[in-house]
Amino acid sequence: MLKGKTVVLAVSGSIAAYKIASLASALKKLHANVQVLMTKNAVNFINPITFESLTGNKCLVDTFDRNFQYSVEHVALAKQADVVLVAPASANVIGKIAHGIADDMLTTTVMACKCKKIIAPAMNTNMFDNPILQDNLKILEHYGYEVISPAVGYLACGDTGAGKMPEPELLLQYILREIAYEKDMQGKRVLVTAGPTQESIDPVRFITNHSTGKMGYAIAKMCMLRGAEVTLVSGPTSIAKPEFVHVVDVVTAKEMYEEVTKRAKDQDIIIKAAAVADYRPKSVSSEKMKKKDDDLAIPMERTDDILKFLGEHKKEHQFLCGFSMETENMLENSRKKLEKKHLDMIVANNLKVEGAGFAGDTNVVTIITGQEEVSLGKMTKEETALRILDEILKATN
């Protein structure tokens, strides 16, 4: 994902410095070229050898180190960098960078970089709340730096409040958003639906399906990484919400219908990956239904057809993509749905094909438009999402 990209991790003196080792490792696994800079105070919290072992690159601390391949290291490294993350960023380093002070390897390199720079403050909560520190962060934002809000919790000093450095997993998401993919969806507004719906029978029981939301979540994430402004309308799932995506939680088909239709007119692309219930109980018991000796019959009624509504009310230049989960006659049934619902594209898969369907991390799909069919082999759901987006962009450009 990050092959050919150079990530500069700038580590200052904070107890949170040790967490950056796992971030460096994660970036290396994604094939990034990871260069670590450290202040002299940072080496009191973690040894540079740790970073050198994880990244395969020399960890730079001394501006005037003559035992390294670059004659002017900070300038050469600045030219390579695709993104810089200063984490943990101490109050001292934030103040220096905000006011143009470059007196060590970290600050001189950051000053020389023209790429995107991200700051993750980490310090005592009283220091973080200090108006001078807050003014310095505003200065950095004014000059195009992105400041990550610190987490709130118990700090190493014993205080509780804002000042904790976010976990490495979140820091990684900020880096990926910046450099993982070309921003070929910049400026596009995308609405994605995902997951199942739940239709209550009584206060205890409900009707649902086996959808986990993984495919829709993968699509929402990839749209975001490619620069789109994404809204995800999600039924109940147990998977983590994608970062930097506006998530709207719903439970029933009616709630999903209402949330999607009221937002539809503002979207450039709508991708309906949710498994919405076609039927719901006509009435919901206010009390738990007791078991009886004879059979139980539950009268059902149709839910609102979200995709049909979207197709009939599609605005000019809006692209509408649906999903079709079949167990037989996949292509024939999906083509009928494409035409009946006035879709621009439908993504079809067969539940009985190995590697496709619910719950798993892979999928096997055929992308169908009015002009062609593109069959994809077994891929991860994120890889599948990327190929779906490629086809949507090809059709809209």
Side-chain angles (χ1 to χ4, degrees), residues 293-356:
D293 292 335
D294 53 352
D295 294 336
L296 173 68
I298 302 175
M300 306 286 280
E301 64 182 5
R302 280 286 280 123
T303 58
D304 296 306
D305 192 325
I306 303 173
L307 206 51
K308 183 173 182 288
F309 176 91
L310 295 174
E312 292 174 347
H313 296 82
K314 185 172 61 172
K315 69 175 187 177
E316 189 178 1
H317 305 306
Q318 187 176 69
F319 193 92
L320 182 56
C321 174
F323 269 67
S324 176
M325 172 71 77
E326 304 291 341
T327 57
E328 59 181 355
N329 304 320
M330 181 186 78
L331 296 179
E332 178 185 351
N333 290 337
S334 298
R335 277 216 165 271
K336 287 180 180 177
K337 186 175 181 180
L338 176 78
E339 295 166 8
K340 183 179 180 181
K341 304 291 177 71
H342 308 291
L343 310 180
D344 298 294
M345 175 184 290
I346 193 161
V347 180
N349 59 1
N350 189 326
L351 187 62
K352 294 182 178 180
V353 172
E354 191 275 327

Side-chain angles (χ1 to χ4, degrees), residues 87-107:
S90 66
N92 184 53
V93 160
I94 289 171
K96 284 183 179 181
I97 297 173
H99 293 281
I101 298 171
D103 62 356
D104 60 11
M105 178 58 79
L106 188 153
T107 52

Side-chain angles (χ1 to χ4, degrees), residues 40 61-66 71 73-74 103-106 108:
K40 290 184 177 179
V61 180
D62 185 356
T63 308
F64 302 104
D65 183 356
R66 306 312 302 162
S71 56
E73 296 97 330
H74 64 282
D103 62 356
D104 60 11
M105 178 58 79
L106 188 153
T108 53

Side-chain angles (χ1 to χ4, degrees), residues 59-297:
C59 181
L60 304 181
V61 180
D62 185 356
T63 308
F64 302 104
D65 183 356
R66 306 312 302 162
N67 298 312
F68 194 46
Q69 57 185 329
Y70 301 117
S71 56
V72 190
E73 296 97 330
H74 64 282
V75 175
L77 183 55
K79 290 178 179 178
Q80 285 185 37
D82 293 291
V83 65
V84 173
L85 172 66
V86 184
S90 66
N92 184 53
V93 160
I94 289 171
K96 284 183 179 181
I97 297 173
H99 293 281
I101 298 171
D103 62 356
D104 60 11
M105 178 58 79
L106 188 153
T107 52
T108 53
T109 303
V110 172
M111 187 69 65
C113 285
K114 290 187 174 182
C115 64
K116 178 67 174 285
K117 287 164 276 195
I118 306 170
I119 304 285
M123 63 198 71
N124 169 268
T125 188
N126 293 325
M127 294 175 69
F128 180 73
D129 290 336
N130 188 300
I132 298 173
L133 187 281
Q134 291 299 316
D135 284 347
N136 286 338
L137 292 178
K138 289 184 177 69
I139 290 171
L140 292 177
E141 290 177 329
H142 171 74
Y143 286 111
Y145 288 69
E146 181 170 13
V147 177
I148 303 175
S149 297
V152 176
Y154 181 79
L155 304 174
C157 60
D159 290 341
T160 299
K164 288 174 67 70
M165 188 182 75
E167 291 303 310
E169 293 79 11
L170 179 57
L171 299 179
L172 176 61
Q173 294 307 312
Y174 274 87
I175 292 170
L176 292 178
R177 181 177 62 163
E178 184 62 30
I179 64 171
Y181 296 103
E182 179 187 351
K183 299 299 181 282
D184 52 5
M185 296 184 74
Q186 192 84 46
K188 294 189 181 296
R189 289 166 297 183
V190 183
L191 187 147
V192 181
T193 68
T197 59
Q198 295 176 354
E199 311 300 328
S200 291
I201 298 171
D202 62 22
V204 177
R205 307 173 181 90
F206 57 80
I207 297 170
T208 189
N209 57 63
H210 295 292
S211 174
T212 60
K214 287 184 177 181
M215 191 69 247
Y217 276 52
I219 292 171
K221 177 182 177 181
M222 293 302 132
C223 287
M224 176 274 296
L225 290 176
R226 292 172 72 158
E229 178 186 330
V230 186
T231 298
L232 173 63
V233 181
S234 173
T237 71
S238 60
I239 55 180
K241 301 288 190 283
E243 298 292 340
F244 317 116
V245 168
H246 176 55
V247 180
V248 180
D249 290 312
V250 298
V251 176
T252 67
K254 182 175 178 59
E255 290 172 351
M256 185 168 284
Y257 175 86
E258 291 171 350
E259 295 295 343
V260 169
T261 55
K262 74 181 182 183
R263 291 174 167 80
K265 68 180 187 300
D266 299 321
Q267 308 302 317
D268 299 301
I269 300 169
I270 300 176
I271 305 173
K272 282 284 285 91
V276 184
D278 294 324
Y279 295 90
R280 62 177 168 239
K282 272 192 172 183
S283 61
V284 179
S285 173
S286 61
E287 304 294 341
K288 179 184 175 183
M289 297 171 63
K290 293 298 184 181
K291 181 170 59 177
K292 298 179 181 179
D293 292 335
D294 53 352
D295 294 336
L296 173 68

